[in-house]
Amino acid sequence: MSDATVKGTGYRVFFDAGAATVHFEGSLRLGTAEYEPIAALLSGVLALRPTAITLRMTELVFLNSSGINTLYKFIIAVRKLGDLAVHVDASSTITWQGKSLPNLRKFLPSITLTLS
């Protein structure tokens, strides 16, 4: 898997293989089943067995509960691998990020989170 993109009306999620970064942009208000392509992209990233990965959320204005659940499942999968460093780059000006993203530490205590 090299670079991969999932996009729809008002959002885009893409993987930059060179930077080992998954970028989330726009507003994700999808139904549970509609997150499957994004979950598949994240699983494909894990299949590459990188040593580190960044989730860049600074351009993600909204993520509903189904999306947060998809993100949590990804972090649990990372924890099962045991040797992948994860960094989340988030924005302190986007309210949901400051409230929801710190909870990722419950699933992966080693995760690093930057709220800029």
Side-chain angles (χ1 to χ4, degrees):
M1 174 180 171
S2 58
D3 295 347
T5 301
V6 176
K7 60 184 173 179
T9 304
Y11 73 89
R12 180 171 73 140
V13 178
F14 66 97
F15 176 58
D16 176 350
T21 300
V22 180
H23 297 262
F24 294 80
E25 299 174 345
S27 182
L28 282 164
R29 300 173 186 268
L30 307 175
T32 302
E34 295 172 300
Y35 279 99
E36 183 52 40
I38 295 169
L41 182 148
L42 294 169
S43 293
V45 170
L46 289 184
L48 296 173
R49 300 291 302 190
T51 57
I53 187 169
T54 298
L55 303 177
R56 184 165 164 72
M57 302 282 189
T58 56
E59 301 297 320
L60 187 61
V61 180
F62 183 82
L63 184 65
N64 66 5
S65 59
S66 294
I68 291 170
N69 187 44
T70 299
L71 187 59
Y72 288 170
K73 286 179 180 179
F74 171 71
I75 294 301
I76 291 168
V78 168
R79 182 181 67 202
K80 289 178 182 177
L81 290 177
D83 60 352
L84 174 59
V86 178
H87 176 74
V88 178
D89 189 14
S91 174
S92 61
T93 62
I94 302 173
T95 305
W96 76 266
Q97 292 186 10
K99 291 180 179 179
S100 298
L101 293 178
N103 291 330
L104 293 172
R105 289 188 185 110
K106 293 178 182 178
F107 302 102
L108 186 66
S110 64
I111 200 167
T112 59
L113 173 63
T114 302
L115 285 165
S116 54

